[in-house]
Amino acid sequence: NLIIGNFHAELLRLPLGFGYKVRWTNMWSVGRDYIFNPSTIPAGQPGGNATRRDRTIYDWTLDNILTWKRTINENHNFDFTFLFNVEARDDWTSNIQNEGFQPNQNLGFGGIGSGTNPIVNNNDTRSTGTALMGRLNYRLLDRYLFTVSYRRDGYSAFGENNPHAYFPAAAVGWILSEEPFFKADFINSLKLRLSWGINGNRSIGTYS
């Protein structure tokens, strides 16, 4: 069973060219995996064996995005974006196994407590993250483009000594098709772009 919901609000016409939007998304997932193997099949142990696995996940993210746009003398266009993000994920998993059901196997996994070799374990985890990002786009004469951005990501699995990672980036662009000397009518749009940046990921164990 999976429930996904989101809430979004946006203010478009704030003073001085500012805009703001907030977005909250969340996911609630509940899964049940119940298996019973009777002794009459190859996977079944003498007396049968059963597994009951229950898992619940709650995941939510909150984004705050502030934008600012300004045009000066029709030749200089500025577009700034600032992001603040916070998120969390909780995962609860319970596992029950048993085999050798007595006096019979009629209840299947519904009678898992009547087995002779119970195994019970669980795995509960929680992870949190934050992000800060600033990006500035500058357009000159509608054909020369400049972009700089900087992002700081925090993640609970990074550990106490290095709780954040940093990702700068920059780019320049040139829209050749907007130049007066460009005469190739069969090309609608042509842009050259050179960019540089640092990338990364957090695909590590929650408590690694």
Side-chain angles (χ1 to χ4, degrees):
N1 299 294
L2 177 64
I3 299 175
I4 299 175
N6 65 79
F7 171 81
H8 175 91
E10 187 169 2
L11 301 174
L12 299 175
R13 297 181 180 179
L14 295 176
L16 303 177
F18 283 96
Y20 171 75
K21 60 182 176 181
V22 58
R23 180 173 57 239
W24 177 64
T25 61
N26 69 105
M27 181 198 73
W28 182 272
S29 174
V30 177
R32 286 185 288 271
D33 191 14
Y34 294 175
I35 300 173
F36 180 75
N37 297 308
S39 57
T40 55
I41 66 173
Q45 302 296 321
N49 64 289
T51 300
R52 291 175 65 119
R53 184 172 182 266
D54 295 272
R55 187 180 187 186
T56 302
I57 300 174
Y58 182 55
D59 196 337
W60 61 266
T61 301
L62 178 66
D63 292 317
N64 294 274
I65 302 173
L66 180 68
T67 59
W68 176 73
K69 296 182 180 181
R70 176 61 62 88
T71 300
I72 301 176
N73 297 328
E74 297 183 357
N75 294 324
H76 306 274
N77 293 277
F78 297 89
D79 183 349
F80 176 79
T81 302
F82 176 77
L83 164 72
F84 171 67
N85 162 278
V86 60
E87 60 182 276
R89 177 186 175 93
D90 292 288
D91 190 331
W92 304 274
T93 302
S94 300
N95 186 66
I96 306 172
Q97 302 178 46
N98 214 337
E99 60 185 13
F101 291 90
Q102 299 294 334
N104 57 61
Q105 310 169 50
N106 292 345
L107 294 179
F109 56 70
I112 198 168
S114 62
T116 60
N117 187 25
I119 298 175
V120 179
N121 56 62
N122 72 291
N123 184 33
D124 299 339
T125 63
R126 177 175 174 82
S127 61
T128 59
T130 61
L132 290 172
M133 188 274 293
R135 181 183 63 200
L136 176 63
N137 291 318
Y138 169 62
R139 180 188 292 256
L140 175 63
L141 300 174
D142 284 331
R143 53 183 179 269
Y144 308 113
L145 313 174
F146 304 90
T147 301
V148 292
S149 66
Y150 192 78
R151 179 171 175 128
R152 188 195 75 170
D153 280 86
Y155 185 48
S156 56
F158 288 162
E160 296 181 357
N161 295 331
N162 297 285
H164 299 100
Y166 304 91
F167 306 102
V172 294
W174 181 20
I175 305 179
L176 278 168
S177 53
E178 295 296 325
E179 293 287 358
F181 61 78
F182 190 83
K183 304 298 183 181
D185 295 335
F186 60 92
I187 297 178
N188 295 324
S189 179
L190 177 62
K191 180 174 74 171
L192 301 179
R193 188 174 187 268
L194 176 66
S195 62
W196 168 90
I198 294 178
N199 203 352
N201 71 79
R202 62 184 196 186
S203 298
I204 57 179
T206 302
Y207 300 122
S208 296

